[in-house]
């Protein structure tokens, strides 16, 4: 739909970075209109996870005699902001921006061994961000370390006259080092222990809680009773707002336009059929169904009420004395592409957003922190959730945790050596051709 489109102005987040001297290297791949959880449904093709080519993963695969090898065994990055995660993970940039509507920054961060930060709703301007769900969208930050994310957030945070949902910031965001966690209370939501959660992530989640406890923090189990309804509630609200937001892509004002000129209606229909993939069209159809006059009260209004209950669950947890919630980010480590596409986009999104989307409905800050490598040599991350607009406190705790776990750096030397050898061979070939 937006192939070849060059926007006439910069998004506020982009402009703020440019104003501070940042170099914008390029745009990254993602699921079409950010609808997906694997970065496999983009118009430029799927995004490959750099960890597919890491020494850690390759060595583990050699030890497994049953593992398939070949060009098709690469892993997904997660999504929808998979291109941004891959760019940072492969050391091509210092930081990248993503968008986070239901976990689209934290999910790929977990699969690519990165810090993926979703700020509080209203802390960072959405002006210039192509909207998916206006009431949940937040520009996200992907970096290798918490300090880097804090630096980028310090540049981006604050009121924007072009976005009425933003709030003014009274003091600059400076991240201090946390030496003592004994005054902290960490909440573990019992509803997040689901049967689908891999035993490896469950074990690491438990070890992380033990780490806090051993350092003097208070760790308590909390209840978020409406968690089981959140993914269905999110689906109704998400598709409803998608149906509204995608109406602007009609072929008249900007973007793709078909050649049919029989009538305006025919041009609309053909443009949207050609310009949107099946996933986007499916969400538009679902959203319009929920917004029909006869369905509006039963679906959209009811979902809004459930959203309020979900938000209140978090308020009650934090009012009970909890400072930060600790949860898994994903159900499992990154999976191979061929395994991922066995399920359709909607099923995958429902599974992969299970731990992340409730935070967006509540407007809270959350961050993925990589904790360790799995038995397969792949990154596993955990999610920290903070109180609304207590982003600084959340990142301070995350920084302490990051320092304790010492997550290993991705080793891509073998890939670099192979690329160097290929380039050398190409040079030799071109020299011999010239002679």
């Amino acid at each position: 739909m937006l192939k070849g489109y060059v926007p006439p102005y910069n998004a506020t987040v982009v402009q703020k970075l440019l104003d501070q001297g940042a170099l914008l290297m390029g745009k990254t791949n993602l699921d079409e209109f950010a609808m997906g959880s694997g970065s496999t449904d983009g118009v430029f093709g799927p995004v490959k996870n750099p960890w597919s080519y890491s020494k850690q993963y390759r060595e583990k695969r050699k030890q497994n005699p049953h593992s398939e090898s070949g060009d098709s065994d690469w892993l997904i990055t997660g999504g929808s902001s998979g291109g941004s995660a891959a760019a940072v993970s492969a050391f091509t940039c210092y930081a990248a921006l993503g968008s986070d509507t239901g976990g689209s920054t934290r999910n790929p961060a977990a699969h690519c061994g990165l810090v993926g930060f979703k700020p509080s709703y209203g802390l960072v301007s959405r002006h210039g961000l192509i909207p998916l769900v206006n009431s949940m969208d937040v520009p996200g930050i992907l970096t290798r370390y918490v300090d880097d994310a804090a630096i980028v957030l310090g540049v981006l945070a604050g009121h924007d006259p072009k976005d009425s949902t933003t709030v003014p910031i009274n003091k600059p965001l400076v991240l201090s080092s946390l030496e003592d966690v004994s005054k902290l209370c960490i909440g573990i939501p019992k509803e997040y222990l689901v049967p689908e959660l891999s035993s490896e992530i469950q074990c690491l989640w438990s070890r992380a809680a033990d780490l806090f406890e051993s350092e003097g923090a208070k760790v308590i189990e909390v209840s978020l009773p409406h968690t089981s309804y959140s993914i269905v509630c999110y689906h109704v609200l998400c598709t409803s707002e998608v149906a509204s937001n995608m109406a602007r892509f009609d072929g008249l004002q900007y973007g793709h336009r078909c050649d049919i000129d029989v009538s305006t209606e025919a041009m609309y229909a053909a443009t949207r059929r050609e310009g949107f993939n099946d996933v986007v069209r499916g969400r538009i159809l679902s959203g319009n169904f929920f917004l029909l006059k006869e369905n509006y009260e039963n679906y959209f209004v009811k979902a809004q009420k459930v959203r309020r209950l979900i938000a209140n669950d978090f308020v009650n947890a934090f009012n009970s004395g909890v400072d930060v919630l600790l949860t898994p980010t994903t159900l499992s480590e990154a999976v191979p592409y061929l395994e991922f596409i066995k399920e359709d986009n909607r099923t995958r999104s429902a599974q992969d957003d299970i731990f992340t989307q409730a935070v967006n409905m509540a407007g809270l800050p959350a961050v993925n922190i990589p904790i360790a490598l799995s038995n397969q040599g792949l990154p596993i991350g955990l999610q920290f959730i903070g109180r609304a607009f207590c982003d600084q406190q959340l990142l301070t705790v995350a920084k302490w945790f990051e320092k304790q776990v010492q997550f290993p750096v991705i080793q891509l030397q073998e890939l670099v050596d192979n690329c160097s050898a290929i380039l050398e061979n190409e040079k030799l070939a071109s020299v011999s051709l010239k002679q």
Side-chain angles (χ1 to χ4, degrees), residues 40-200:
T40 56
D41 290 312
V43 73
F44 299 104
V47 184
K48 295 182 179 181
N49 192 328
W51 281 87
S52 311
Y53 310 100
S54 69
K55 184 181 177 183
Q56 294 100 319
Y57 177 60
R58 293 282 173 178
E59 285 183 351
K60 292 286 186 183
R61 283 182 63 77
K62 284 174 189 170
Q63 294 168 14
N64 183 3
H66 304 295
S67 65
E68 295 176 28
S69 60
D71 295 334
S72 59
D73 66 344
W74 51 269
L75 308 155
I76 58 137
T77 53
S80 62
S81 305
S84 298
V88 179
S89 180
F91 294 99
T92 58
C93 58
Y94 159 83
L97 295 177
S99 62
D100 198 310
T101 307
S104 291
T105 301
R106 290 159 285 153
N107 179 289
H111 289 323
C112 295
L114 300 174
V115 173
F117 179 58
K118 172 224 172 287
S120 296
Y121 185 84
L123 189 66
V124 176
S125 172
R126 292 181 295 113
H127 177 69
L129 175 68
I130 294 174
L132 178 67
V133 183
N134 303 64
S135 65
M136 299 182 209
D137 292 342
V138 180
I141 301 165
L142 288 145
T143 58
R144 284 185 288 278
Y145 300 102
V146 174
D147 275 329
D148 296 347
I151 291 167
V152 176
L153 181 65
V155 173
L156 302 184
H159 178 66
D160 178 15
K162 298 187 178 99
D163 180 0
S164 61
T165 61
T166 51
V167 297
I169 303 298
N170 300 323
K171 55 183 179 180
L173 189 138
V174 181
L175 220 56
S176 57
S177 290
L178 187 66
E179 300 298 335
D180 180 22
V181 293
S182 61
K183 294 185 176 69
L184 277 181
C185 181
I186 308 294
I188 310 291
K190 64 180 183 181
E191 288 80 8
Y192 281 52
L193 183 58
V194 294
E196 300 87 356
L197 182 65
S198 83
S199 56
E200 220 171 341

Side-chain angles (χ1 to χ4, degrees), residues 271-379:
T271 295
R272 289 164 71 79
R273 185 176 65 249
E274 293 170 11
F276 292 137
N277 69 10
D278 291 345
V279 175
V280 178
R281 290 203 299 270
R283 291 206 193 186
I284 292 170
L285 284 168
S286 296
N288 280 319
F289 173 81
F290 296 138
L291 294 173
L292 287 172
K293 187 181 177 182
E294 60 266 33
N295 296 333
Y296 186 78
E297 290 284 335
N298 285 334
Y299 289 98
F300 187 73
V301 173
K302 196 169 279 185
Q304 289 282 40
K305 290 176 179 177
V306 174
R307 178 180 183 175
R308 172 60 62 194
L309 294 174
I310 291 164
N312 285 344
D313 284 348
F314 284 105
V315 171
N316 293 337
F318 288 122
N319 285 346
S320 70
V322 170
D323 296 300
V324 172
L325 294 170
L326 174 63
T327 78
T329 309
T330 54
L331 286 168
S332 68
E333 63 200 6
V335 296
Y337 171 70
L338 293 177
E339 186 183 325
F340 184 83
I341 57 173
K342 286 177 185 174
E343 302 264 22
D344 63 89
N345 178 292
R346 193 177 57 164
T347 307
R348 278 292 181 190
S349 295
Q351 291 168 350
D352 296 335
D353 292 345
I354 188 167
F355 299 130
T356 51
Q357 40 70 39
V359 170
N360 294 77
M361 290 199 282
L364 304 174
V367 62
N368 173 78
I369 301 295
I371 176 172
L373 295 182
S374 70
N375 292 331
Q376 292 291 311
L378 295 173

